[in-house]
Amino acid sequence: MAKKKLMIHELYRMKAEGRKATWLTAYDFPTAQFAEAAGLDMLLVGDSLGMCVYGYPGTVPVTMDQCIVHSEAVRRGAPNTFVIGDMPFMSYQLSDQDAVANAGRFLKEAGVDAVKLEGGRRVASRIRAIVDAGMVVCGHLGLTPQSSGQLGGHKAQGRTAESAEAVIEDALAVHEAGAHLLLLEAVPPEVAAFVAAKLPIPVYGIGAGAACDGQLLIVSDLIGQFQAFTPKFVKKYADVASVITAAMKAYVQDVHSGAFPADEHCYHMLEGEEAGFERLADRYK
Ligand code: KIV
C-alpha cells in the first residue's frame, strides 16, 4: 500500500504528541525514492546541493533554476513525502515581491509542499509575504550558511547568553511573521529546547540536540558520500564513498584483465544468422 502523504497538520499533531519527525536532504530522484521507501517524514532539497552535488565551496552560487530542477526530481521520486524547497541566496534577499515570486516557482514548477528561507527579524516581511500568498514556510536560524561570511564562517550560534538571546528573538519574529515550521542549525541543545518549548510550531534541529521536534541530516553526510569536511553534528550511517570507489576499481581491473565483459554480458547473433555473417565477413577479407 502506498505511503499516506504527510500534511502540515500532521506535523503539528506529531509535535503535540511528542513524536519526532525525521527529515533528510535529497537532491535527486533515486535518493528520494530510497528516502520514501525508508519512511522519512520530510525531505529538504537543500541549497547544500551546491556543495554535495556541484562541488561549489558553499551555497552562495546556487541558483533558483538549479533548485527547481532538483526539487522536481525529488518530487517525482517521493510523491508521498513532505518536500521542502530551499530558497537559494538572492532569491528572497532583494524584496518581498521577489521572495513571493521565487517561492511560487517552487510550488508551481516543482510541486513542493513548503519553502525554507534563512534569517530571523531581517526576513520577517519576506516570510509574511510568502505566507500571505498562501504558501507553507519553514524558517531557518542559528548557523545560516548563506550569511556565513557575517557569522565568521560555519560556526555554531547561540553559545553565549547574548547570542542565545538573538536566536530566541529571531525565533519569536519568525513565528510572529507566520512561519509554519522552524529549523535550528548548530545551536546549543539548551537554546533549542527552550525555543521548541516556547513556540507552538514544530521546531526541528540539525546540530541542535535531541529536544527538537524532529531531526534533519544532510543525506550526503549520512551515507558517507560528502568528502570535503564532516561537521560535529553528523552521524555517518554508511560509507558509500568506499563502496563506490571499490566497485569502480574492480571494474577497471576487470576491463584491464579481460574478465569483463564476459559471455553473459554479450548479445550473440540470432540463431541461424551465423552462416550469413561468415559469408558477410568473407566479403571484407
Ligand atoms: O541546504 C541545506 O541542506 C540546509 C541545511 C544545512 C540545514 O539548509
Side-chain angles (χ1 to χ4, degrees):
M1 202 175 74
K3 179 182 162 197
K4 189 169 169 282
K5 181 154 179 209
L6 260 190
M7 303 299 281
I8 186 75
H9 64 271
E10 182 60 17
L11 296 173
Y12 278 74
R13 192 164 29 234
M14 288 170 78
K15 176 177 174 103
E17 294 172 359
R19 285 185 286 131
K20 305 284 184 187
T22 53
W23 190 12
L24 201 55
T25 66
Y27 315 110
D28 58 46
F29 175 82
T31 307
Q33 281 189 313
F34 296 143
E36 185 154 304
L40 266 295
D41 295 311
M42 300 157 70
L43 289 174
L44 172 69
V45 188
D47 61 357
S48 49
L49 67 85
M51 287 126 89
C52 298
V53 177
Y54 289 96
Y56 301 151
T59 58
V60 166
V62 174
T63 66
M64 265 307 292
D65 286 343
Q66 287 171 322
C67 289
I68 294 292
V69 167
H70 287 274
S71 298
E72 284 178 306
V74 167
R75 175 80 290 164
R76 283 193 289 272
N80 296 314
T81 303
F82 194 88
V83 173
I84 300 183
D86 202 10
M87 298 193 67
F89 185 59
M90 281 299 137
S91 68
Y92 60 93
Q93 277 82 356
L94 290 178
S95 68
D96 290 357
Q97 224 180 353
D98 258 13
V100 174
N102 285 318
R105 282 193 66 190
F106 272 104
L107 270 77
K108 280 175 80 81
E109 297 175 37
V112 304
D113 300 291
V115 294
K116 174 173 89 55
L117 64 159
E118 297 182 6
R121 286 161 284 185
R122 67 182 175 186
V123 298
S125 78
R126 308 290 190 266
I127 294 175
R128 172 51 63 199
I130 300 170
V131 171
D132 283 348
M135 295 175 254
V136 176
V137 173
C138 179
H140 179 171
L141 296 172
L143 197 182
T144 44
Q146 289 173 15
S147 46
S148 59
Q150 282 184 349
L151 302 177
H154 286 78
K155 290 206 173 116
Q157 301 296 305
R159 298 183 81 186
T160 62
E162 192 187 350
S163 167
E165 185 182 6
V167 172
I168 291 166
E169 286 297 328
D170 279 335
L172 294 173
V174 164
H175 172 239
E176 178 70 18
H180 303 82
L181 307 165
L182 176 62
L183 173 68
L184 296 177
E185 177 170 354
V187 302
E190 304 86 325
V191 178
F194 180 83
V195 173
K198 180 90 186 146
L199 296 189
I201 60 174
V203 175
Y204 305 123
I206 177 165
C212 296
D213 299 309
Q215 295 295 324
L216 170 66
L217 269 184
I218 295 198
V219 68
S220 318
D221 290 330
L222 176 139
I223 64 175
Q225 186 183 45
F226 185 66
Q227 303 290 294
F229 60 90
T230 304
K232 178 181 167 67
F233 56 70
V234 166
K235 180 169 175 184
K236 276 194 189 184
Y237 287 84
D239 184 10
V240 298
S242 41
V243 173
I244 292 171
T245 310
M248 291 175 175
K249 277 186 180 162
Y251 166 65
V252 168
Q253 266 175 8
D254 275 4
V255 171
H256 287 165
S257 72
F260 178 83
D263 196 53
E264 78 237 43
H265 306 118
C266 297
Y267 301 96
H268 287 290
M269 301 278 311
L270 297 178
E271 223 175 291
E273 292 294 322
E274 292 89 344
F277 179 65
E278 269 170 35
R279 279 196 299 278
L280 174 72
D282 281 346
R283 287 209 329 254
Y284 287 90
K285 276 189 183 151

